[in-house]
Amino acid sequence: MSGLNYRKVAVIGCGFVGAASAFAIMESGLFSEMVLIDANKEKAEGEALDISHGLPFAKPMKIYAGDYKDISDAYLIIVTAGAGQKPGETRLDLVKKNVGIFGSIIPQIAEVNKDAIMLIVANPVDILTYAAKQLSGYPENRVFGSGTTLDTARFKYLLGEHLQVDSRSVHAFIIGEHGDSEIAAWSSANVSGIPINDFCEMRGHFEHEASMKAIAENVKNSAYGIIEKKGATYYGIAMSVRRICEAIVRDEKTILPVSSIQHDNYGISDVALSMPAIVGKNGVETTVPISLSDSEVEALKASAATLKKVIDEVL
Ligand SMILES: NC(=O)c1ccc[n+]([C@@H]2O[C@H](COP(=O)([O-])OP(=O)(O)OC[C@H]3O[C@@H](n4cnc5c(N)ncnc54)[C@H](O)[C@@H]3O)[C@@H](O)[C@H]2O)c1
């Protein structure tokens, strides 16, 4: 990679998610330049100004509303642009609409910048990650989605609350689709090395089946619940985006459940979904095939099949 400014990030789409992510990125101090792009230029300009006014309390950086020509040297390009689901609209309608939006955005990015890392956040994130790979011509390691990073954070948070332990000491993943067919990988879940059920019993919880079902359902339905109450979700995803940026910029080789194109993982290929993966300066280095129970493998295969069906219908 050459000609890139490794301290420069771009956020395409400055709605709730893009603006909150830009704010979290500004606070992180990871970059010295941030370009905001939105179809509504005034929105991008307003967000750039508002976020810039926090800079005297953070670290110096340049934040401005720009155009595609301004991102030719950006190291990291985050795409949050997309339409939300309208009443009466099916999921598939929404997929078609957002794939259409990507059909306009991604080639414009690829035209000016072939070397960046592209992080897809807009939904349905797995389908749009697959579409972005096709539309950009980028190598697979440099186009990936936030995937189930947010769902996994919700999972850890809920387990931390349930067990009254720091959520950072909880090691557990949500894998598969970022959506209804996602899977809680209970068989590998642990708290600082202690298998999850043993830790539960240590904390006085013995109803494993019921608790696991309730927590997994809560994770899956979190977004629906928040959207019903406040119209959109954005702080959790903003922190997830910030964490992924950190792993890349600092070349941390952190294991995160991002969405990437799979190659014979449990027999799954040619579909983007989330599996834990090593993330560093070149994007996704490799996926980490955590061990799964037979039922988890079946559920993962079903999740992949659900996504493949949508890909076949819209791409
Ligand atoms: N991956 C996750 O975990 C996660 C979590 C929350 C939300 N999301 C998704 O993020 C996306 C954005 O959500 P939001 O709440 O910010 O929506 P929003 O409607 O507030 O913002 C979308 C923005 O995209 C812009 N836009 C639309 N078409 C564009 C184009 N062609 N070029 C540039 N900008 C364009 C709009 O002007 C708008 O500002 C949605 O798809 C949502 O489902 C993902």
Side-chain angles (χ1 to χ4, degrees):
M1 282 191 246
S2 62
L4 290 180
N5 177 350
Y6 290 94
R7 291 276 171 197
K8 183 166 175 177
V9 62
V11 179
I12 320 256
C14 302
F16 289 114
V17 172
S21 298
F23 178 67
I25 288 168
M26 178 278 274
E27 276 208 294
S28 75
L30 285 167
F31 296 95
S32 55
E33 193 170 338
M34 176 158 58
V35 186
L36 303 183
I37 297 179
D38 197 285
N40 176 352
K41 186 84 191 271
E42 290 224 317
K43 176 82 163 87
E45 285 171 357
E47 296 297 354
L49 284 172
D50 197 4
I51 296 170
S52 296
H53 295 166
L55 282 172
F57 309 109
K59 297 200 171 62
M61 72 184 290
K62 212 168 133 193
I63 303 171
Y64 55 97
D67 213 327
Y68 288 95
K69 65 178 174 358
D70 297 309
I71 65 167
S72 60
D73 60 344
Y75 173 38
L76 187 46
I77 299 172
I78 301 164
V79 189
T80 77
Q85 202 161 353
K86 297 251 161 55
E89 202 173 47
T90 67
R91 249 171 195 242
L92 203 57
D93 289 337
L94 181 69
V95 179
K96 284 183 183 153
K97 205 190 284 180
N98 283 347
V99 166
I101 290 175
F102 265 46
S104 128
I105 292 175
I106 305 296
Q108 292 191 79
I109 296 173
E111 199 182 314
V112 295
N113 187 333
K114 293 194 167 32
D115 299 319
I117 290 175
M118 214 185 278
L119 173 63
I120 309 303
V121 180
N123 273 326
V125 69
D126 303 293
I127 305 295
L128 293 180
T129 298
Y130 190 91
K133 160 72 189 84
Q134 285 195 331
L135 291 161
S136 65
Y138 274 32
E140 285 175 13
N141 59 302
R142 289 198 279 107
V143 192
F144 59 97
S146 57
T148 54
T149 306
L150 172 59
D151 316 63
T152 295
R154 288 170 173 154
F155 193 31
K156 290 183 183 186
Y157 165 76
L158 289 170
L159 280 167
E161 288 293 294
H162 181 64
L163 299 170
Q164 285 299 292
V165 67
D166 184 346
S167 55
R168 295 171 304 176
S169 298
V170 178
H171 304 285
F173 289 107
I174 300 289
I175 57 172
E177 179 196 12
H178 167 61
D180 294 343
S181 71
E182 68 187 26
I183 300 109
W186 288 109
S187 64
S188 60
N190 68 83
V191 179
S192 288
I194 302 172
I196 196 78
N197 284 355
D198 293 352
F199 197 88
C200 284
E201 290 178 12
M202 219 182 90
R203 303 298 269 169
H205 296 290
F206 297 90
E207 302 292 326
H208 301 312
E209 284 301 319
S211 300
M212 287 187 332
K213 192 162 179 271
I215 288 171
E217 282 300 306
N218 193 342
V219 171
K220 199 183 296 183
N221 295 323
S222 282
Y224 297 120
I226 297 168
I227 289 168
E228 212 174 286
K229 287 180 198 290
K230 60 174 269 191
T233 77
Y234 39 94
Y235 296 124
I237 184 61
M239 287 301 283
S240 308
V241 166
R242 173 187 163 151
R243 183 70 192 95
I244 296 167
C245 289
E246 193 175 40
I248 295 167
V249 171
R250 292 165 50 83
D251 192 22
E252 287 181 355
K253 303 191 190 302
T254 301
I255 298 184
L256 294 168
V258 292
S259 179
S260 63
I261 294 178
Q262 302 295 303
H263 292 283
D264 205 15
N265 254 337
Y266 291 101
I268 296 163
S269 294
D270 198 34
V271 65
L273 52 70
S274 289
M275 279 297 280
I278 297 180
V279 179
K281 68 177 181 197
N282 297 318
V284 170
E285 199 173 288
T286 181
T287 55
V288 179
I290 51 168
S291 63
L292 299 173
S293 67
D294 290 348
S295 62
E296 288 165 353
V297 171
E298 282 318 303
L300 184 65
K301 286 182 173 167
S303 186
T306 306
L307 290 165
K308 265 218 162 114
K309 189 163 176 281
V310 178
I311 288 173
D312 290 343
E313 277 176 86
V314 299
L315 293 176

